[in-house]
Amino acid sequence: MPGRVYSVEDTLTASLPKIFDQVQNSTANHQKNIVALHKLHLDAASFTEPVHNGRSIKLTGERMFEEKFKDILCRAAAVKKGTSQGDRIVKFVGAYTKYINERAAEVKKDDDDNDDDDDDETTASRFVEKVLAFLLIGFEAKDKVARYRCVHFLAEMVAHLGEISEKLYTELRTALFERVHDKETFVRVQAVIALSKLCGSEDPSDVEDGEPTALEVLLEILSCDPAADVRRAALLNIPLSLETLDAVLARTRDTDTIMRKLVYSAILVQHCFVSDGSAMGLVHPRVLTIAQREVIIRNGLGDREPAVRQAAALLLSKWVDVARGEAKNEENKTAQDDVLALLSLFDLTESTVAEDALLSVLDRRRDISDHVEFKDTYWANLTPEQAFFARVFVDHCIAIKDAEKLDASLPVVTALAYHIQAAYNAYQEDLKVAEQERVIRGEPTEEEEEARIDKEFVIGEMLKVAVNLDYADEIGRRKMFQLVRDMISQEALPESLVARCLDVLRMLSPNERDLIRVVVEVVHELRDDSDEEETVKEPADDGETNVGETPVLTRMAPKGPKSSDDMSSEERARMDAIDLRCLSLCIGMLERVNGTFEENSTLEGILGELIIPAVKRKELVLREKGLICLGLCCLIARRMAVNSFQLFLGQIQTAPEVLRVRVLQIVFDILMVHEADFLEKEKDRERVVEIFLRVLQNEESDKVQALLCIGLAKLVLAGMISDDKVLKCLVAAYLAPDTIDNQEVRQCLAYFFPVYCYSSAVNQRRMQRLFIGLFEHLAPETRNVDEAQDMISPAQIAAMFVDWTDPQKAIEVQDQPTDETIHIDLASDIARALFDDNMIKEDKKVLYQVLGRLYLPDKVDDDKIRTLKLLLHNLNSRRPIRDTAAKNALAKFDAAISKRYAEQLESFNEEDYRQLEYLKDLFEFLDDIVPLDDGEEVDVPRTRARKRRSESIVTDTTDSIIPDESVAPSSHPKGKGRGKQTKRRRVSSSDESDDDVLSHEHVTPAPTRTLPKRAASVKKPQAVQSIEDDDDEEEEEEEEEEEEEEEATPPPASRSGRRPKPASKARDNIQPASAGNITLDSIMDSEEDEEEEEEVANDILGSEE
């Protein structure tokens, strides 16, 4: 027996490596080697040993084969990703797993003895379980290559595992759940592939409560994984079903271009039909809903990448061929019918998606566009799809300037006029019938309402076609003019057709004055309360004369309507409806007028009789339309705009939200048109800006906020407003956590800031000046947001400003050279800000890191680079930083400056530089800075800070103070959450008063306080007395801090000359602040000073609520 064991082992040792050596070099020999390996496996499995006196057997040969196989897997697991030999071995293992399970299934099926016992183990099932258990161990390997290969092996095997135990399935599922969140992208890719194949066998009823299913995990990965490769793997492998379809379609808006393209090319095109082509698939256009079809086409044709647009166009081309579904094989059906079938799948009335889709088909499918023809019978009884197809095809011919196709497709003017008239008359008849039935049956059914909307749509499409007709035929022109005039004179004309009729009327009118006259006549006719007989006696245009010579009505002034008190409720409702129709006509007319108000005196009548009364009405609908009319009048009447502007400003602050939106649109339009009257004078401009910023600050409506930001951005981008306060407010609105859900604001400003900054070096210079102030205001806000809110970090804020002010990205403008020294000045601003003791350590670290991202031009003014070098030198000597990353960033930037501008800095002498008069402010700034001997603040242990008594509000300081770690004091005595506190000299105080120390920037008006020595002031500050610490106090403070300190800078003494008590007794001897006038000189701001600073900053930014 031992000889047989050695024989099997020797055979496996000799044969297995040869097989794997062959399969790693080529996939062509895989099938042959799979058969050979299976024969070896069966031979080994046939060798068993009896145990327990023959009552059971030991599978010795199988165990040997499994051990040898696992040994080879170990060797393959060390092969790095991308190596073809390793990938071939993985494929071979997967193919072998499939082969042995298929053979085992065949044997089991042929074996009649196994019919009653389905749970018998086989050689294949035992082999698979052993290999899986071995691979699961590799899932936890520290080496990323080993994890990758183990998951890769499993991904190839998982689809062909056959039957495995419940325990192993649970372990496998849990392990894959962990690997889909692996830190390595390529590991997650294979885990997603494996889990996608495994989720098909998952029973949701077996999942425990609160535990996600495999499909839910995959959907989360598909939407949220940061790596595009992982999302791509999930997209291509996730099973397509009703549960996953919406998530798959949402990837048409993915950030990755390839991902968006794959949705169209690999999912939507490939799955139109089921795999055998016998039935429509889940993404067949007839199976999808209208909303899903519109999302697919809108996102695809509107994508910014040509590759995605091309993939969407290919999908549409396929949809045209399959749109008719089973009716495709009908006889006498043309490609034009295919297009109409595709259009029937879209909502033609509500969106422009169908138009974009049809234009794409006409551009790509020449076999369709070249054979389109509209015969006379086509126009006789139009459906919405036919009318839409004809109108879009006409627009397409005009766009590509194909006059031949256009002439062939357009109908005769007179014929189209009769078709429009017939359709409109049928529409009116249907309205009358519907009105009669409504009295009997109540509200119309959904089908009747859809039929009415379809008829309106057909008439509207024919009117759009009428705009492009050739009106050289005088008879046809008169017929069309009379028809359109009659239509707008009727109260029953739908609101949606008013604009279409006015477009045709504008084409038929020789000039704007005639268009205005006709519309005003119609308005007077509609509002005339006279009886019909009197109206008939009045002359009207009979359509037989030129429209430019249409006679004016003989009545001088139509009778005005009755007063509202004399009317019944039905009459008032009817008059309100007529006024709304008249206002709609006026809005449509004014939108199509470009001349001035003074040139069209006819407008004065409707202004006083219709528009002004409508503005004064309480009904929102009438007032809204009245305000729109008045705003349109103001656009063509400068004097009226000046007189009405205050009315609109008042409406912004008091009107309901619906009206505020309209009024803001009007106000911004007026400012854009009449800039000289409202924005040239500084006083007027400031008043307008102040109103806008106040409304923006207090506004809660997302729509109004968005409109304000859009309007202000337009004015700033056009150069009409250059106020820094507006830019600050826009930046604050862009970054504020309150606007995170207002996507309209975020998208508008995300586009505005790069365009504004890159369009001009002047704009970049303005943003550079604002950076430090905005950073000091916004950085603390990032730490004060609520848990439910989100805001970008200070590092991201700084990175945005660096990008916006990058002179390399600025567009070259004629007669305006690019300013390449913006980042040099920005570096100087940052260096000055780093001297501020009140800026906390984290924010300073951000600014230090920003220095390395700044652009250093080849040529810089000597004074600028020397000023920057001087600031960096003083920053190193007077405010040294102990943080390693920040220190390295500063040293690297300083070295880069010294190396790039070595020649300019070679003869630099600070003493000579001090003599320059224009640099006096710089040296005064530097001289006012008190140097710190010990560099940075000493980190006080947090345990020491927690031991302070709650009733003590004094702050401990060491002699060495570091501005990087200093934090702004708060009103809370314990200072929780403020990080490490500085060790400051203890000063007697009371529980009711906070520390009273002076800032080096602000002067507190209290009479008992004096300015610090370095405070910037016009008056000469008083000298600061300095009292040396005694040795006992120094020793006690050293013991308290448990740190070794070098020579300490003497702390400021009290102005009362009182001898300071030892630090160990300071906590127990708290004297009231009122007991004596104590003046403290400190480089730290008091709480009152910092509150004042915060108030000033908030006032500047206009961000206080």
Side-chain angles (χ1 to χ4, degrees), residues 68 98 120 140 275 306 376 385 674 761 776 781 789 802 832 842-843 946 971 979 1060 1075:
K68 295 294 182 183
K98 178 182 178 181
D120 285 349
E140 303 296 331
S275 56
D376 293 340
E385 290 78 18
H674 303 294
E776 290 176 346
E781 294 294 329
Q789 294 179 322
V802 170
R832 289 174 183 264
E842 287 75 13
D843 292 347
R946 287 196 295 267
S971 59

Side-chain angles (χ1 to χ4, degrees), residues 176-276:
L176 286 176
F177 277 11
E178 293 178 358
R179 286 309 103 209
V180 294
H181 297 102
D182 195 281
K183 64 180 180 180
E184 300 298 336
T185 300
F186 49 84
V187 177
R188 297 203 304 276
V189 168
Q190 296 301 326
V192 165
I193 294 173
L195 191 60
S196 300
K197 297 175 181 177
L198 191 67
C199 69
S201 60
E202 184 180 59
D203 187 359
S205 62
D206 296 337
V207 179
E208 298 180 2
D209 293 340
E211 184 181 5
T213 63
L215 193 59
E216 290 172 349
V217 172
L218 286 173
L219 291 177
E220 181 184 1
I221 295 295
L222 178 63
S223 303
C224 305
D225 195 280
D229 290 340
V230 181
R231 299 196 304 273
R232 209 172 299 150
L235 176 71
L236 296 176
N237 292 279
I238 195 170
L240 198 61
S241 64
L242 292 175
E243 296 178 356
T244 61
L245 182 58
D246 288 339
V248 169
L249 296 183
R251 292 303 93 206
T252 57
R253 298 291 290 170
D254 196 276
T255 56
D256 181 60
T257 302
I258 300 176
M259 185 80 171
R260 301 196 300 272
K261 181 181 176 183
L262 284 174
V263 176
Y264 292 93
S265 59
I267 304 296
L268 297 175
V269 172
Q270 300 297 329
H271 293 82
C272 264
F273 293 93
V274 294
S275 56
D276 58 358

Side-chain angles (χ1 to χ4, degrees), residues 332-349:
N332 301 325
K333 292 293 183 180
T334 63
Q336 188 168 317
D337 297 316
D338 293 338
V339 175
L340 294 176
L342 177 66
L343 292 177
S344 66
L345 302 178
F346 292 95
D347 186 355
L348 305 180
T349 60

Side-chain angles (χ1 to χ4, degrees), residues 59 63 108 117-126 129:
L59 304 175
R63 294 294 175 266
K108 190 174 183 179
D117 188 4
D118 295 336
D119 296 331
D120 285 349
E121 291 185 348
T122 63
T123 300
S125 64
R126 288 191 293 269
E129 290 201 5

Side-chain angles (χ1 to χ4, degrees), residues 3 116 446 467 469 537 557 564 589 623-624 712 738 749 818-819 848 856 888 942-943 945 974 994 1012 1038 1059 1074:
D116 298 332
E446 185 176 349
V467 173
L469 294 177
K537 294 179 181 179
S564 59
M589 172 193 66
R623 188 150 58 119
E624 179 184 0
L712 288 173
D738 296 336
L749 296 180
T818 304
D819 188 353
Y848 277 116
L856 302 179
N888 292 341
R942 294 183 182 274
T943 55
K974 289 187 178 181
D994 294 342
E1038 287 174 359
R1059 186 171 183 176
S1074 59

Side-chain angles (χ1 to χ4, degrees), residues 392-434:
V392 174
F393 184 77
V394 168
D395 292 343
H396 173 70
C397 293
I398 293 173
I400 63 176
K401 298 180 180 179
D402 192 337
E404 184 178 351
K405 284 185 182 178
L406 182 63
D407 292 340
S409 57
L410 284 175
V412 179
V413 177
T414 307
L416 183 61
Y418 278 112
H419 289 313
I420 295 174
Q421 184 175 4
Y424 185 66
N425 290 338
Y427 173 79
Q428 286 186 312
E429 290 295 329
D430 290 343
L431 284 183
K432 293 179 181 177
V433 173

